[in-house]
Amino acid sequence: MIIVDWPDALTGFGVGVAVSIVYFAGLAVSVSMALSASRPTAVLLSSALARIALLLAAGWLVTGGATLVWAFAGYGLAFFLVRFLATKIARVPRPEDARWN
């Protein structure tokens, strides 16, 4: 029988949700900035490096250096759940903009 360490799993999940929301909000901001930037590659590359570093550093801290397996599972589950929701929100049809008609 597998014994789940619920406090670790829930801590990992809670931190994972918060960090993942920041990650995908940063992605949305960087894409909108890149669309109007003269050098979009620099914007997207620096944003990706910062977001990935944040995600990995928070994951490393919450999982105790990858030794708390259930915290790692909660953190990963939270990331994929927020990713799923972010892609669903991004695909919601927007009303037609009057400028393009």
Side-chain angles (χ1 to χ4, degrees):
M1 182 168 156
I2 296 175
I3 298 172
V4 177
D5 188 359
W6 288 108
D8 282 352
L10 293 175
T11 300
F13 186 81
V15 172
V17 166
V19 171
S20 298
I21 289 172
V22 171
Y23 180 90
F24 287 107
L27 176 61
V29 168
S30 65
V31 168
S32 67
M33 287 175 57
L35 290 174
S36 62
S38 61
R39 297 180 54 200
T41 305
V43 172
L44 292 174
L45 183 59
S46 61
S47 170
L49 289 174
R51 288 181 292 111
I52 292 169
L54 169 72
L55 193 68
L56 292 176
W60 185 259
L61 291 173
V62 78
T63 62
T67 59
L68 302 173
V69 175
W70 290 109
F72 183 77
Y75 189 79
L77 178 66
F79 178 80
F80 286 112
L81 179 66
V82 171
R83 178 185 171 273
F84 176 78
L85 293 174
T87 56
K88 288 295 182 190
I89 291 170
R91 291 181 183 171
V92 171
R94 305 279 191 263
E96 292 292 324
D97 193 343
R99 314 181 278 197
W100 302 107
N101 289 333

